[in-house]
Amino acid sequence: MTDTASTRPTAAIARLVIPAALAAAVAVLVGYLIFDAAGADFDVTMSGTESTVTAVQACLAAFLVSLVGGTAALLIARRTAQPTRTFAAIVTIAVVLLLAGPLVGADQALTVVALEVLHLLAAAAVLLVILPRIGTTTTTSTDA
């Protein structure tokens, strides 16, 4: 018996991209509502323009960025030798870069904390849904 090349379950990952994005949006919504009830004003300044981040904006952003992350996971699973490590590293770098925004754009301390937590919730939701699948491989055996 010999083993043939292993394949990654990209179809399984593809089926998880939308649920992962939805999980991120729901996690962000719950976090947003908690911080809103605690008194966060969600006022931010971006490019000199002051605005308020709404729950819909936060959820939509989490959903769309998570779709991009899920698509990246598919590409990584197909093209790299160590997809789990590669995907986790890319997500970590992206989250670190995204965490700079609230530090610069929000004035209220609670809003800074809230936005930082919302970024982490979105990333965690995607990682929890996709990461367990991205590194799995299946090996088929044939009789020689």
Side-chain angles (χ1 to χ4, degrees), residues 45-141:
T45 303
M46 297 181 295
S47 303
T49 305
E50 292 184 22
S51 62
T52 300
V53 177
T54 67
V56 172
Q57 290 170 331
C59 291
L60 185 59
F63 183 79
L64 293 175
V65 171
S66 297
L67 284 179
V68 171
T71 303
L74 283 171
L75 294 173
I76 290 166
R78 288 184 183 156
R79 298 174 191 247
T80 63
Q82 297 179 331
T84 304
R85 177 181 285 169
T86 304
F87 183 65
I90 289 171
V91 170
T92 301
I93 291 166
V95 168
V96 168
L97 292 174
L98 289 172
L99 290 177
L103 292 172
V104 174
D107 289 332
Q108 184 190 40
L110 185 57
T111 297
V112 172
V113 171
L115 293 173
E116 299 288 2
V117 169
L118 297 183
H119 281 96
L120 294 173
L121 285 173
V126 173
L127 287 173
L128 289 172
V129 173
I130 292 180
L131 202 57
R133 292 272 192 207
I134 196 171
T136 60
T137 59
T138 57
T139 304
T140 57
S141 55

